[in-house]
Structures are given as structure tokens and as C-alpha cells.
Amino acid sequence: MEIIKINDFNNHTLSESDIIKRILSGEKELYEILLRRNNQKLYRVIRSYISNTAEIEDIMQNTYLKSYEKLYQFKHHSSYSTWLIRIGINEALARLKTKSKVLHLNTAQNLNSNSILERPDTSQLNPESKIIRKEAKQLLEKTIDSLDTKYKTVYILKEVEEMSIKDIANCLNISTANTKVRLHRAKHMLKEKLFEITTNVDIFEFGFSKCDDLTEKIMSIILKN
């Protein structure tokens, strides 16, 4: 029997089919491989529906537990990630439905610090460039957040997670044609919203961080004299 080391958990040397068969045969520890391979994707999908970090993690936990309990039902017609995402979406929708019965939905939830579009930064950027990149990313994330869920989810799955139109359609239980329409509309709305922001005469009223830094430097010089 092949021995799996901790460092091998995130690689793709084992196929999903082999991993699932071995888990069902009693090697429960191999389920960690499926978690590590799908954590980011599942997070981003659920983040399309709910923005509270604690709730997202709770839903992810429930999704993984349900997936594990029902793993014997998984049919290998589609990828495990597609099957997992469908469970996650159902969990997120169930959570929203429960909240709507008990509370008035809060339409102005705070943006959490976790990133929708987090990418490893391997380049050696200077501090100013890092600030600009961070603020540009935050602006894009906020704009994506402003989209309706049905458009936001399709956009994230296609443009961020790079899933195929067919897989997205399977995840959301909609046709491929509908998926393409939603993606097109999402891109169009993002363009319009970003254009509105960048053409707003007040956009630099508060300034980026580099403007704040420059102001502080100038005032420091003035106050010293």
C-alpha cells in the first residue's frame, strides 16, 4: 500500500477516484487531501453568498462533513469538486433561508479581511506598489460583492477558479446557455460599475494611502520649521 506523507497532501499525484476509493476502504486520513485541494475553491463559492468569515467557515465545515458522510453516494460522472460545490451552495442557501426567518437580512455586511482574489505574491514589489495593488484588489472585490449572487457566483467560478462552463452549469443546476448569459452580464456590470467609480470626480477625495503618506510627510516638514 502506498504511504502518504503530510507533504504530499496538496499534490495531484493521486487521482480523486483513487483517493475516494481508498477513503471508502477505511483510509479516512486521506480525506485531508480532498480538503486541501478544494478549500480555496469552496471558500470562494460560499463567499459569493455569505460574507461573514465565521459563517463561511461554519458552512465549509458542514459541507465537508456532509460530503464525507455521503461519500459512498458520489458517482464519478463529474469531478468531486463539482459535487462538493453543489453541497456547499445548498448549505449556504439553507443558512440564508434560516436567517431570513429569524432576522432581517443585513444588507450592509462588513467586508472581511479574507480575499476573494487572493494570489501568492511572488514578485518583489516596493511598498508603494504593494499598497496600490492591495487597494486595487480591494476595489475590485468590493465591486464584485455588489453584483447579485447569481452573477457573482458564475463570475468567480469562471474567472477566478477557472472552471469550465459545463462544470459551472452542473454546480448551479442551470443550462450552459444560461451560464454563459450570466457570465456575460456579470462582466458587463463589472465594467459599468468600475467605470462609474473611476470617472467619479470624488474618487480621489480621500486619496489612496500614498496620498496620505505624502500629506503626512509634508505636514511633518512644515510643523518642524
Side-chain angles (χ1 to χ4, degrees):
M1 180 181 295
E2 181 181 359
I3 298 175
I4 304 299
K5 300 177 181 179
I6 293 296
N7 291 337
D8 295 330
F9 276 135
N10 210 24
N11 68 30
H12 292 265
T13 57
L14 290 177
S15 69
E16 285 185 346
S17 180
D18 288 338
I19 295 169
I20 292 170
K21 287 176 183 176
R22 289 174 62 171
I23 292 171
L24 293 175
S25 296
E27 295 183 72
K28 299 179 181 180
E29 66 277 7
L30 298 189
Y31 194 59
E32 183 177 345
I33 299 176
L34 298 181
L35 266 67
R36 291 184 181 275
R37 287 185 183 178
N38 291 281
N39 273 339
Q40 183 67 77
K41 184 179 293 184
L42 183 61
Y43 170 81
R44 285 172 173 159
V45 171
I46 295 174
R47 179 65 176 73
S48 300
Y49 294 83
I50 295 173
S51 61
N52 181 272
T53 305
E55 284 193 273
I56 293 172
E57 291 177 355
D58 188 44
I59 292 171
M60 288 179 71
Q61 177 177 302
N62 291 342
T63 299
Y64 278 127
L65 289 176
K66 282 194 174 182
S67 168
Y68 180 76
E69 291 170 2
K70 298 179 182 294
L71 196 58
Y72 68 93
Q73 296 179 356
F74 174 66
K75 308 298 181 186
H76 298 266
H77 304 313
S78 61
S79 68
Y80 171 77
S81 62
T82 299
W83 186 68
L84 179 72
I85 286 171
R86 291 185 70 170
I87 296 175
I89 289 174
N90 288 336
E91 285 292 303
L93 292 175
R95 177 67 61 94
L96 288 174
K97 186 176 180 181
T98 300
K99 287 175 66 177
S100 68
K101 290 179 180 179
V102 181
L103 303 168
H104 294 293
L105 288 176
N106 188 346
T107 58
Q109 294 176 315
N110 292 327
L111 287 173
N112 61 69
S113 60
N114 287 325
S115 170
I116 295 175
L117 304 175
E118 191 65 47
R119 288 282 191 261
D121 183 9
T122 57
S123 60
Q124 297 297 318
L125 299 176
N126 60 48
E128 182 179 2
S129 296
K130 288 182 179 179
I131 290 170
I132 293 173
R133 168 181 271 194
K134 180 180 178 181
E135 293 185 345
K137 182 171 66 67
Q138 289 174 343
L139 174 63
L140 180 58
E141 288 177 352
K142 188 173 182 180
T143 307
I144 293 173
D145 263 345
S146 70
L147 297 178
D148 289 343
T149 299
K150 64 180 182 180
Y151 300 118
K152 178 166 55 177
T153 305
V154 170
Y155 181 85
I156 289 175
L157 289 176
K158 184 66 176 71
E159 300 302 322
V160 181
E161 287 301 328
E162 300 179 342
M163 289 178 64
S164 69
I165 293 294
K166 182 180 178 181
D167 283 344
I168 296 171
N170 287 335
C171 286
L172 302 178
N173 273 331
I174 59 178
S175 67
T176 55
N178 197 351
T179 302
K180 291 177 182 178
V181 169
R182 291 189 186 185
L183 179 62
H184 176 76
R185 291 202 63 188
K187 289 181 177 180
H188 180 71
M189 287 186 286
L190 277 175
K191 269 186 185 178
E192 287 191 331
K193 289 176 182 293
L194 286 171
F195 180 75
E196 287 174 7
I197 292 172
T198 55
T199 55
N200 188 330
V201 294
D202 295 328
I203 187 169
F204 292 114
E205 184 176 356
F206 296 102
F208 283 128
S209 295
K210 63 177 182 179
C211 296
D212 293 334
D213 291 341
L214 180 61
T215 300
E216 290 177 8
K217 288 178 182 177
I218 292 173
M219 290 306 299
S220 176
I221 294 171
I222 291 175
L223 293 175
K224 281 182 180 179
N225 296 330

